[in-house]
Amino acid sequence: MPKDNGIGASTKRREDVRFLTGTGNYTDDINLYGQAYVHFLRSDVAHGRINGIDTAAAEAMPGVLRIFTGADFEALGGLPCGWQVTDRFGQPMKEPKHPVLAHGKVRHVGDPICAVVAETLDQARDAAEAIVLDIEELPAVVDMRKALEEGATLVHDDLTDNLCYDWGFVEENKEAVDEAIRNAAHVTTLELINNRLVPNPMEPRVAVGDFNAASGDSTLYTTSQNPHVIRLLMGAFVLGIPEHKLRVVAPDVGGGFGSKIYHYAEEALCTFAAKALRRPVKWTSTRSEAFMSDAHARDHVTKIELALDADHKFTAVRTSTLANMGAYLSTFAPSIPTWLHGTLMAGNYTTPLVYCNVRAVFTNTVPVDAYRGAGRPEATYQLERVIDKAARELGVDPIEIRRKNFVTEFPYQTPVAVEYDSGDFHRLMDKLEARADFAGFAARREESKKKGLLRGLGINCFIEACGIAPSNLVGQLGARAGLYESATVRVNATGGLVVMTGSHSHGQGHETVFPQVIAEMTGLDANMIEISHGDTANTPMGMGTYGSRSIAVGGSAMVRATEKIINKMKKIAAHLMEAAESDIELRDGTFSVAGTDKSVAWGDVTLAAYVPHNYPLEDIEPGLEETAFYDPANFTYPAGAYACEVEVDPETGRVTIARFTTADDFGNVMNPMIVDGQVHGGLAQGIGQALLENASYDENGQLLSASYMDYAMPRADDVPFFSVDHSNGTPCTHNPLGVKGCGEAGAIGSTPTVVNAVVDALQSGGYKVDHVDMPVTPSRVWAAMQG
Amino acid sequence: MYGFEIERPTSVADAVAALGADEAQALGGGQTLIPTLKQRLAMPSKLVALSGIAELRYVRREGDVLKIGGGTTHGTVAREAAGNFPGLAALAAKIGDPAVRNRGTIGGSLANNDPSACYPAAALACGATIVTNSREIAADDYFQGMFTTALEEGEIVTEVRFPIPEKAAYTKFEQPASRFALVGVFVAKYADGVRVAVTGASNDGVFRWSAAEEALSGSFSADAVAGLAAPDGSDMISDLHGSGAYRAHLVGVMTKRAVVAAG
Amino acid sequence: MTEVTMTVNGKSVSRAVRGNELLVEFLREQLRLTGTHVGCDTSQCGACNVHVNGEVVKACTMFAAEAQGAEVTTIEGMANADGSLSTIQQAFQDHHGLQCGFCTPGMVMSAAALLKDNPKPSEAEVRHHLQGNICRCTGYHNIVKAIMAASGQDVGAIAAE
């Protein structure tokens, strides 16, 4: 295997060349002949009753082709929710309809009311201003606690209250947990907020709908992490288009982080309008629009209690969370605070009893759904913050208290349903202690002091569950989808190989990494291998990319399909060399007969498959194309230990990240360079959540941080160089590559690390501060310091 | 954006004439105006772009005064004022980002008078003279509250004259999202006293902190400021980035740091 | 409509433009140079950065009509004459300075402007210079590293993983 392109090599990314030369093909770069433009007239009030929509004047404006309103979609489906959570009492969650265009009521600022299609975008915008809306403003439901009060205004009139579900996990353990907390030697309690975020991939969403009148086929080009899922949801549940008449293409996509998983109204509208008007219809989101129409993230209000015995062993965790759903249920929203959150509340520890209560609440805000980490950051943040607080209350070392409670034997069955297959938390902490130079911290703190700054050190451990699976389990938990992945491997007559994968790359580097795996398996040169993704016309089915699942699930499907190809090629090679199939070996792209000098080149075998003159036609078919669907046996469990040092300016409250060190276990690593990059990006997003980012609503439901003027995105000078390590991971035991996934770790592990460090810094300066809610902005730190 | 015509005169006289048209509006560097137009918050019939007027672009010293043409970009000021007035050059070098500094102009910034902009603090602290196509306006008379100035409709800032101080520095505590000043303080020491102007903090826009001026005129030292009570927070901007009390506190901190930076 | 003439990536172009036509719209829609991206509408993200007369500017915050007579360079004009990646582009690939690629053109244009004025920037100078370029993928680590490497500095020690 050439050292620079097999498994474990830091192969340079082939996709970079097009991105670096401006020749990428993002959805907004697609313009179809005869294309019209759509502008959405959106609600500027958070809650209101639609008493009338008068489009007459607008329809007469220049260039206007059609104005769609909620009435056009009344007979069609709403945007579907892909996960049904069952509550503590065995009842299904409440699932109000999510119309494509608002009907009856508007329920958040940004809720689309009308879609104006015109020859130009300016004409569409001009016409939108001429639409006369008669909307009776209603009191806005913004604060989750108030939303649950008796007599609160209802977001959905057909529901009895604003509670989506009241979920308990593990419900059977509730009394035992209560009892353990009553009897504990020490209980540490922490109330905290997991701040609402706006995902903000740099590419705003775009949709281009097209309709072929000759075939009756619809095509949607969209900024999606999972085009097949969009095809299924939009086709089957919204527009009633069978999948074989609908093609969804997600070309180069400029980041997703979860926000491009979901099926959005604009996609359905463009597809619908293209068919209605027999014209391609394009929508390009502005950033301002994205702030009020892309699914938001996090937004939990939590109280957590940690019970310890006299020996500082954790005996129970009890946690209670209000989780904001926003105005409607986004595609996977109900699963995030439940199955992706409660199942991680054991963390890296042997805590025997856990009870997690989550009440999901409807409010007049943008829908909330998964964002990098999705539920797991919320679990990690509260658990690791309360452990840190407990250590401070008890006067024990934050590392020692964690080590004392680590899970050390695998597989480990947690009290919250999941079974960790592999891991070594002590080794991760050992590595962190060595690499983060804790020994030198005291000296660095002195240096900071000389500059008038308070230095703090924060520690964190975390475990996540990635590659969500298997399908039959998630089905029991309420998923309305399978969570396998598919791959088709096609080898052409001339020997080139194409993988059509259901995974979707929007920055992850699949076009480079997947060929590394194939190269390792076949010995083929990387330039013989091509990756095709993002087009439902090419790939049999795909669940897409999220939850750190691409290499663990999509990669495994590709391995299985490639194994089928290799097995078939061995049969052909055996025939060509008149040898037994069991004696055939594949090495460096050549098939040979073990123990002889007989061999046949890769290209000879592929040619024989397509020109089967000398071919075992009685045993196998011609051609070389194989498909595999891979449904994992279990989640994967990446874990890590992180350390952060901050400097706090006591005069201004400003927090600066001075050092950030990670020790991660991702199992086997396919391309270390790319994995480093995934960790870096996750860390910046976590630091962003911890220090900068906040989607803030006022009491009327107006989003105050509705642009980059007020929503603080991390910039280059907000972060330092990171010191990351993921060597010597413990391989996943149940997938063929032994991989665990690396996309979300940085975002999951970083928030408590940063806040723990801030608290350490403040306490070192004599300030009696045991918690500051995120984002830990200068003004909040300063306010906390004032007492 | 709404539709409009754009005109690009090459002289001040032509620009003034063009601005005589109904609903015509001057376009400086556009770094604030263009985002505003994108939101359809303004509806000019015609934009008169000042970027083609070479006579508005210069930085030159005449005696103890630094004269800057109204169309001079922040990037140019950062480079060309560095020798004669380093405090002002340093301020210009930290406005926005490099791309913004290559378009945004001093005249545009002063005409807009954003309550969080940097230049108003320098102009007020230096007692600068704002020169327009028709008159000269003292900074003390020019700034009239947030987004409000003494400029008349169609009047163009052609030059800003800064008396060069003995010592000066600007310190900015950035609002973390926009990177505008949450609080910015310009301190300028002249032979006849010290002037201190504060931007970002007040509901009334840029203002002079007279208590600090008095204290620093007596003794130009950080200690002189340390003893001062923070200005009244009730007049300060209070938003999601910080309360009025926090901003008031920062005024003291930033003033002290500006004095230290001025040396 | 106004007629404008400018030089884009070394070629003279003349087109009629609307008064409110932004330079980025002109580049993307009229010239089909889609490497210049639009990531925000408040002039902050820098995905649209191009060079006008050798200086980096936001193509979303300048009207096409104002580029009359200007020399404009976009990401499509940044490769070497033989089509190979320029030093800066190559450093971004070598150091994994991009993931989804959307902010990348703007980053490259900013980096080129920085290195022209400051051939050996420090880490702090690079980070300060990138204030107007937002990346959501990389955490900036490898972007800063790539720019320093492109300036000929040894990044092995300063940007240790």
Side-chain angles (χ1 to χ4, degrees), chain A residues 11 21 23 69 119 133 137 175 239 271 288 371 390 405 412 453 481 496 531 537-538 560 641 659 673 736 775:
Chain A
T11 308
T21 53
T23 49
T69 68
E119 297 288 349
L133 294 175
E137 196 170 344
E175 282 177 24
L239 300 180
T271 310
S288 298
Y371 164 67
N405 287 281
Y412 175 77
L453 303 173
I531 303 298
N538 289 354
R560 292 283 185 252
R659 289 163 66 97
M673 174 193 81

Side-chain angles (χ1 to χ4, degrees), chain C residues 38-94:
Chain C
V38 179
C40 78
D41 47 8
T42 50
S43 307
Q44 275 148 324
C45 81
C48 65
N49 279 3
V50 298
H51 293 178
V52 174
N53 296 329
E55 292 189 324
V56 64
V57 305
K58 293 179 172 170
C60 81
T61 315
M62 173 173 175
F63 292 108
E66 289 187 280
Q68 167 63 35
E71 293 267 352
V72 177
T73 307
T74 70
I75 189 67
E76 288 90 346
M78 291 302 280
N80 297 326
D82 65 355
S84 61
L85 296 181
S86 68
T87 303
I88 293 170
Q89 290 169 317
Q90 189 60 56
F92 269 73
Q93 186 185 32
D94 290 347

Side-chain angles (χ1 to χ4, degrees), chain A residues 13-14 44-45 84 111 153 193 201 206 295 324-325 373 534 547 649 675 696-697 720 753 768:
Chain A
R13 299 200 328 167
R14 55 170 76 178
D44 58 6
V45 299
Q84 180 187 288
D111 208 357
T153 304
I193 286 169
V206 181
N324 206 333
M325 292 287 104
D649 180 345
V675 171
S696 178
Y697 280 95
T753 319
K768 290 186 172 45

